[in-house]
Amino acid sequence: MADFVERRWTSQDGLSLYARDYAGVAGPARLPVVCLHGLTRNSKDFGALAPVIAATGRRVIAADVRGRGLSDRDPNPANYVPNTYARDIILLLDKLGISRALFVGTSMGGIISLAISGMRRRAVAGLVLNDVGPEVCNVGIERIKSYVGRKVDIGGWDDAAAYLKSINGVAFPDYQDKDWAAFARRTFADSDGAPRLDYDATIMQPLSQNRYKAMTVVAWYLFKRLARNAPVLLVRGDLSDLLSKEIADKMQRRAPSMRRVEIPRVGHAPMLDEPQALEAIAAFLRSAP
């Protein structure tokens, strides 16, 4: 039996969107946690982390942003941008009666969280940024652009695991076959027993136009403003090609109170089931409202 309830809500432009809702165990009322995934991922990425957080008494909402997982695909790829995703999540918060929450954002999910803080300042009471910042490295972006949206020939689940290893092996050098198999189950959907990538291939279009570069100045402003008023934890894979140590150091200088943890022998992006990540997130949540 699933340890979450499935939720549906409708975007302003009529798309049916999906989220997992994990109830917190009984105890003192604490702010809920909203988990937002990366570019090609979905709410299944938080299948390990969400129950751990819920066991501490916090409700956890893990969403599939439009174009991923069980959320509708958008007929207009121009909508696959952080501001649109942020408006979708704000509608979800309103539907669930959540005025403030803590956010965990992996890669793109971190940028969406910053965008939400810009649209509704008090909504983001704290933020865990997983291997992302207001600025990212071109090397990582180009690597991601090299495979996102490309047609792949996947015959079965072993093929799916092998494909993921071919594009992510550099980020997870210690993964064994069982880890890649689990990765495949999170990243692919089961279509009558056969795997298919669980995202709309056209999510690549805004990224290919380098529209993310125009957001850097605004993202730095939102990051600094949030870090002045709310707790922030940066989780970085020490092999990351998207968030360099130099950018992480720059973030630390501009937000001295930011907490930070490096995950050894992991690249972009940590799965947040690593012991160091779990310990850091647990400590962060203990001290958060």
Side-chain angles (χ1 to χ4, degrees):
M1 184 175 179
D3 49 4
F4 57 86
V5 174
E6 296 186 322
R7 304 288 185 190
R8 286 258 170 211
W9 81 104
T10 303
S11 68
Q12 289 182 328
D13 50 355
L15 298 184
S16 175
L17 306 177
Y18 171 88
R20 294 178 171 191
D21 187 349
Y22 298 77
V25 299
R30 311 287 300 278
L31 288 181
V33 177
V34 177
C35 297
L36 301 175
H37 58 77
L39 180 69
T40 63
R41 312 305 290 278
N42 57 72
S43 59
K44 290 181 287 186
D45 265 10
F46 301 102
L49 178 65
V52 171
I53 296 175
T56 70
R58 294 185 188 270
R59 181 184 187 183
V60 182
I61 310 297
D64 287 348
V65 304
R66 62 172 66 201
R68 286 82 164 175
L70 296 176
S71 287
D72 281 354
R73 277 45 180 161
D74 196 318
N76 180 7
N79 290 329
Y80 288 139
V81 291
N83 281 349
T84 303
Y85 304 140
R87 286 191 289 269
D88 290 343
I89 299 302
I90 287 173
L91 282 176
L92 172 62
L93 297 179
D94 289 344
K95 175 182 173 62
L96 297 177
I98 296 172
S99 59
R100 297 186 78 216
L102 302 168
F103 284 73
V104 177
T106 294
S107 194
M108 180 191 73
I111 301 302
I112 297 171
S113 301
L114 289 176
I116 292 170
S117 77
M119 296 176 184
R120 188 172 289 184
R121 188 168 181 174
R122 278 186 49 79
V124 183
L127 175 59
V128 178
L129 288 167
N130 182 19
D131 212 60
V132 71
E135 182 180 337
V136 293
C137 300
N138 285 335
V139 172
I141 290 293
E142 292 304 317
R143 180 180 60 81
I144 292 168
K145 287 165 63 174
S146 72
Y147 67 81
V148 174
R150 299 285 179 89
K151 183 176 175 57
V152 293
D153 185 18
I154 304 294
W157 287 101
D158 287 344
D159 289 342
Y163 167 72
L164 290 174
K165 184 176 181 179
S166 73
I167 62 173
N168 292 292
V170 66
F172 302 100
D174 296 334
Y175 265 26
Q176 305 299 312
D177 288 348
K178 63 179 179 58
D179 301 307
W180 292 113
F183 198 162
R185 292 288 176 174
R186 291 193 299 268
T187 307
F188 287 78
D190 190 325
S191 179
D192 296 323
R196 60 170 175 79
L197 283 168
D198 210 3
Y199 66 87
D200 183 352
T202 67
I203 62 171
M204 179 61 187
Q205 290 189 22
L207 187 66
S208 66
Q209 298 163 0
N210 292 331
R211 291 171 63 178
Y212 66 92
K213 291 183 178 179
M215 299 184 294
T216 299
V217 173
V218 174
W220 271 115
Y221 168 76
L222 293 174
F223 167 73
K224 289 188 291 182
R225 188 180 74 172
L226 179 66
R228 282 197 303 268
N229 299 286
V232 175
L233 167 66
L234 177 64
V235 179
R236 178 180 176 270
D238 74 348
L239 302 179
S240 179
D241 61 357
L242 192 81
L243 184 68
S244 67
K245 183 178 183 302
E246 289 73 22
I247 293 175
D249 289 344
K250 183 177 178 181
M251 293 169 68
Q252 192 78 74
R253 290 193 298 272
R254 297 192 179 187
S257 63
M258 181 183 76
R259 304 184 193 184
R260 180 172 165 185
V261 62
E262 303 265 335
I263 311 302
R265 293 189 60 75
V266 170
H268 184 76
M271 293 294 180
L272 302 184
D273 58 1
E274 302 88 357
Q276 300 90 341
L278 288 171
E279 181 180 350
I281 292 171
F284 178 81
L285 293 177
R286 281 196 299 269
S287 62

